[in-house]
Amino acid sequence: MAARVDAPARRDRRADRPRRVRRAPTGVHLADLSDHSRVVRPGGRRVSGSAGMSAAARAVRLPGAVKPGLVRGLVSPFAVWQFQVGASSPLTVVVGGVVTTYAVTGVVGVPLTFPIIGVCLGLLSVGFLAMSYRQRHAGAAYAAMAVGLGPRWGVAGGFIALVSYPALQIALLGLFGVNMADFAGTESWQVWAWVAWLLLAAVGTLRYTLGQYTVAGITIVELAVITMMSIAAFVHPHDGHITTSPLTVSALWADQGQIGGAFALGVAAFVGFETGPAFSEEIKDERSVVSASVLTLVFLTGFLTVVAWSLAVWTGADRIVAEATSALPFDIISRYWGATAGTVMGLLLISSVYISMLSFHNTTNRYAFAMARERVLPRFLARVGRTGGRFEGTPWPASLVQSGLVAAALAVFQLAGANPMEDMFVWLSSGAAFAILAMLVLVSVAAVLWFRSGAGGAASVWIRTVLPIVGAVAGTVLAAIIALNQSLLLQLDPGSGWQLLIPACAAAVVAAGLLYGAWIKGVDPVRYAGIGRGQPDPRTEIDTQLGAIRG
């Protein structure tokens, strides 16, 4: 039998043994800076409370306390492309955007606006995509502005995203309600808008990839139906010949006072192509984000140009303004492809609007998650669903809060008796498009400064400086044209000062972000210094590709 050792002796022996100290990873992940109760110094001993915190980083939580983050490798390159195209919603653009632009502005050269805007947005996206490729961040524009222009500007960029994308959802809820009411033969668009909101709130909390193949199938059929309509228009042109006058500069500049409205809805047609970098933390390959974004922009530029041109070819350039109604695309396809094709187009329009809303909803979730992870927003918004469930990798608290705010705004519009098309769709989509255009201009400036600081590694002077500067100038000119020449689109008197309300609201959002950023700097300099610099924590980031290795 072993000799008995009394308790004091046992304690003495344990005291003589070398102490084992748990160490934390040497990299500081800003996602973990909010835990002050049980922390360890990077590479050092465990401490209690906030003792021993340095100015550079407070501490890292112990691995056991880490909560799951976004899922690495969950989103495929094709999924990014389809949701970018889905966010732009080509059929919605044709029925709700192109014909509205023709009818309201009286500009015959609407097709020419798309290649002009496409080139401008392409230049603006160079710096944005270059930065997104080099630093993965769910709040892409927010992070780019933070590291390029300063943390306060990053908060301002995040505010633009958090206001603009939900505004687009509200605009599309009105459009969904109107189209669904027409399709069902009812008068109340409000009920259908709430049905769409309920579906959006429910699906928005689910895993991003659930139903992606269904969405892909719907998107492909949607593009095929639009193509069928355009083919019918070109095969049966007005007066037997295909007119090219809508593609001339003279047709675009014939009424310079209304060109701003044409460009405003034109920019809104492209909104969505810039959402890809928000999924860079979940993509299998960072290069896929760049490829998908470029492909989306090139595709939309060519596709929308041809489709808008085809409508003028079918009616005749001299009659397109008078005959441009939301029924025009349905009349064309029903006449030459049958009534069934027209019915299918109607159903696809409803699904197209919903997919667009869902894409903007998911993008907003990522921005809210990224900002909450760095404690710019409340920390609970950075929670995500756990592995293996329907909510896997989804920032579900951010989704629920966003749905609640959208519901409140929708209720206000309905109680105020707002027109779902003239007040909600036109004003909100134009305002959101202007704000996102301004955000891309600021990101281009941020990219130039970021590369000049020595960050970003090797890149050509065209990527680092020339193209982003040209894009910023072109985007500023385009924004000025829109701001000063969209009175008719907004149902205002020509030259009315009320058209400046949209840029004023965008400026107010930026100012609010700058002020909030300054407040964070005053109360918590460490948190302020980390704005835009948080990276996915390898302890929390689940990699789906590891499953294939284990299998």
Side-chain angles (χ1 to χ4, degrees):
M1 177 178 287
R4 181 177 179 182
V5 181
D6 59 6
R10 287 198 300 269
R11 285 196 295 269
D12 292 341
R13 291 182 182 179
R14 285 199 300 268
D16 294 335
R17 297 173 186 171
R19 291 189 62 184
R20 296 178 61 186
V21 180
R22 295 188 67 178
R23 293 180 178 272
T26 56
V28 177
H29 300 282
L30 297 178
D32 302 321
L33 293 181
S34 63
D35 191 311
H36 296 171
S37 59
R38 187 167 176 245
V39 299
V40 298
R41 294 174 180 171
R45 293 173 176 266
R46 180 166 42 183
V47 295
S48 300
S50 58
M53 295 183 185
S54 64
R58 295 190 174 181
V60 181
R61 292 194 303 177
L62 290 175
V66 173
K67 297 180 180 179
L70 299 176
V71 181
R72 175 73 166 169
L74 183 65
V75 181
S76 67
F78 179 72
V80 174
W81 179 83
Q82 77 180 37
F83 274 98
Q84 285 176 307
V85 175
S88 299
S89 186
L91 188 54
T92 303
V93 171
V94 174
V95 176
V98 174
V99 295
T100 300
T101 306
Y102 273 127
V104 175
T105 66
V107 175
V108 177
V110 170
L112 190 58
T113 63
F114 293 111
I116 293 175
I117 295 171
V119 171
C120 179
L121 294 179
L123 293 170
L124 284 171
S125 65
V126 171
F128 185 29
L129 294 178
M131 294 185 70
S132 299
Y133 172 71
R134 289 165 173 80
Q135 56 169 23
R136 294 191 295 129
H137 202 289
Y142 152 80
M145 290 174 61
V147 299
L149 298 175
R152 283 184 298 178
W153 286 97
V155 177
F159 274 27
I160 292 176
L162 293 178
V163 171
S164 299
Y165 293 126
L168 287 169
Q169 294 175 55
I170 299 168
L172 292 171
L173 283 172
L175 180 62
F176 182 96
V178 170
N179 287 317
M180 193 63 199
D182 291 342
F183 186 83
T186 59
E187 296 183 358
S188 177
W189 67 270
Q190 293 91 338
V191 173
W192 292 111
W194 283 110
V195 170
W197 172 84
L198 184 62
L199 291 173
L200 185 65
V203 178
T205 60
L206 301 180
R207 189 170 70 236
Y208 181 72
T209 54
L210 285 179
Q212 66 172 323
Y213 296 109
T214 302
V215 172
I218 293 174
T219 302
I220 292 172
V221 174
E222 173 189 345
L223 297 176
V225 169
I226 299 173
T227 302
M228 291 169 59
M229 181 209 70
S230 297
I231 291 174
F234 282 117
V235 173
H236 304 90
H238 181 70
D239 290 338
H241 72 278
I242 297 176
T243 178
T244 58
S245 60
L247 299 175
T248 62
V249 176
S250 60
L252 179 62
W253 289 91
D255 189 355
Q256 297 181 21
Q258 303 309 323
I259 193 173
F263 278 122
L265 286 183
V267 171
F270 284 91
V271 171
F273 91 95
E274 80 293 340
T275 60
F279 300 90
S280 59
E281 295 184 20
E282 302 162 83
I283 197 73
K284 296 178 181 178
D285 183 0
E286 290 84 351
R287 292 172 295 183
S288 300
V289 173
V290 178
S291 301
S293 300
V294 172
L295 179 61
T296 300
L297 184 58
V298 172
F299 171 77
L300 290 176
T301 300
F303 190 77
L304 296 178
T305 300
V306 173
V307 173
W309 178 28
S310 69
L311 296 178
V313 167
W314 193 78
T315 63
D318 57 337
R319 298 171 53 189
I320 180 61
V321 173
E323 297 186 18
T325 65
S326 59
L328 178 59
F330 297 95
D331 292 342
I332 297 174
I333 197 169
S334 298
R335 180 171 177 179
Y336 297 107
W337 294 97
T340 302
T343 302
V344 171
M345 177 178 274
L347 291 173
L348 288 171
L349 176 61
I350 295 171
S351 63
S352 173
V353 174
Y354 178 78
I355 291 173
S356 181
M357 289 189 293
L358 183 60
S359 297
F360 291 132
H361 185 92
N362 285 323
T363 302
T364 306
N365 288 346
R366 268 72 188 167
Y367 272 89
F369 165 83
M371 296 174 71
R373 181 175 60 187
E374 297 169 8
R375 298 190 299 141
V376 174
L377 296 179
R379 282 281 297 180
F380 78 91
L381 296 176
R383 296 175 184 170
V384 299
R386 297 193 177 276
T387 308
R390 294 182 178 180
F391 308 104
E392 179 184 14
T394 299
W396 58 269
S399 177
L400 293 177
V401 171
Q402 179 188 178
S403 296
L405 294 175
V406 169
L410 179 62
V412 170
F413 276 108
Q414 291 188 357
L415 291 174
N419 184 290
M421 294 301 297
E422 296 178 2
D423 298 328
M424 293 174 60
F425 182 76
V426 173
W427 273 87
L428 292 177
S429 60
S430 299
F434 180 88
I436 292 174
L437 177 61
M439 180 181 72
L440 292 176
V441 170
L442 292 172
V443 169
S444 289
V445 177
V448 174
L449 298 177
W450 187 67
F451 279 109
R452 287 188 62 184
S453 69
S460 69
V461 67
W462 291 94
I463 300 296
R464 290 185 287 109
T465 306
V466 177
L467 294 180
I469 290 178
V470 174
V473 173
T476 302
V477 172
L478 182 60
I481 293 175
I482 293 174
L484 300 175
N485 299 281
Q486 57 178 340
S487 57
L488 191 57
L489 174 67
L490 301 176
Q491 304 293 311
L492 300 172
D493 295 331
S496 173
W498 283 104
Q499 65 182 336
L500 297 177
L501 181 61
I502 285 179
C505 289
V509 172
V510 172
L514 293 174
L515 290 174
Y516 182 54
W519 177 81
I520 294 176
K521 182 179 181 180
V523 299
D524 194 341
V526 174
R527 179 171 31 142
Y528 178 80
I531 291 176
R533 301 180 184 275
Q535 297 295 319
D537 190 338
R539 298 170 299 161
T540 68
E541 187 183 39
I542 305 163
D543 195 331
T544 58
Q545 298 178 14
L546 295 179
I549 298 175
R550 292 181 60 186

